[in-house]
Amino acid sequence: STKIVLSAWCPTMDIVVLVTADQQLQSFRLNWERLWSKQPATSITSIQWRPDGKQIAYGDEEGNVVVLAAEDGCEVERRRVFLGPSGAVVGLSWAVCGADARGGR
């Protein structure tokens, strides 16, 4: 069995995303049906669901934040937020901005 090092429950659906010690990123339904699995090239250091459950972001040891689509795990966006040898992303949070904050899209 593989040790789970990070986990995050979807705020709107019966889905959990797990990061294992061997750096597998896996998405499961509550009945343990696997939806998708990925193995990023760098170690994942944090994960966080978007509040509406449509995307999940992870941070890695090289300072990247990667946003994935919840339904299939496809990469939506990637940003380098830290540079240098000790730039691991250790925490993530979503902020509501613009039209979303005013009740729009």
Side-chain angles (χ1 to χ4, degrees):
S1 67
T2 301
K3 180 180 175 184
I4 296 168
V5 294
L6 294 170
S7 65
W9 286 98
C10 179
T12 61
M13 297 180 282
D14 65 335
I15 298 173
V16 63
V17 171
L18 307 174
V19 179
T20 60
D22 62 355
Q23 290 305 297
Q24 290 281 330
L25 179 65
Q26 301 177 348
S27 176
F28 294 94
R29 291 216 175 272
L30 194 56
N31 65 2
W32 295 110
E33 171 193 359
R34 186 182 318 192
L35 300 176
W36 50 264
S37 180
K38 299 183 128 348
Q39 186 157 16
T42 59
S43 293
I44 297 171
T45 53
S46 57
I47 55 175
Q48 181 67 44
W49 282 94
R50 193 167 95 174
D52 65 6
K54 293 181 179 181
Q55 296 176 333
I56 187 161
Y58 71 82
D60 69 22
E61 66 184 357
E62 294 184 353
N64 298 300
V65 173
V66 180
V67 179
L68 306 174
E71 66 273 3
D72 57 12
C74 287
E75 189 172 310
V76 175
E77 187 172 356
R78 175 182 294 264
R79 299 263 172 129
R80 180 82 177 234
V81 295
F82 292 117
L83 301 173
S86 60
V89 178
V90 296
L92 292 169
S93 182
W94 290 84
V96 179
C97 301
D100 288 339
R102 295 187 300 272
R105 303 179 331 161

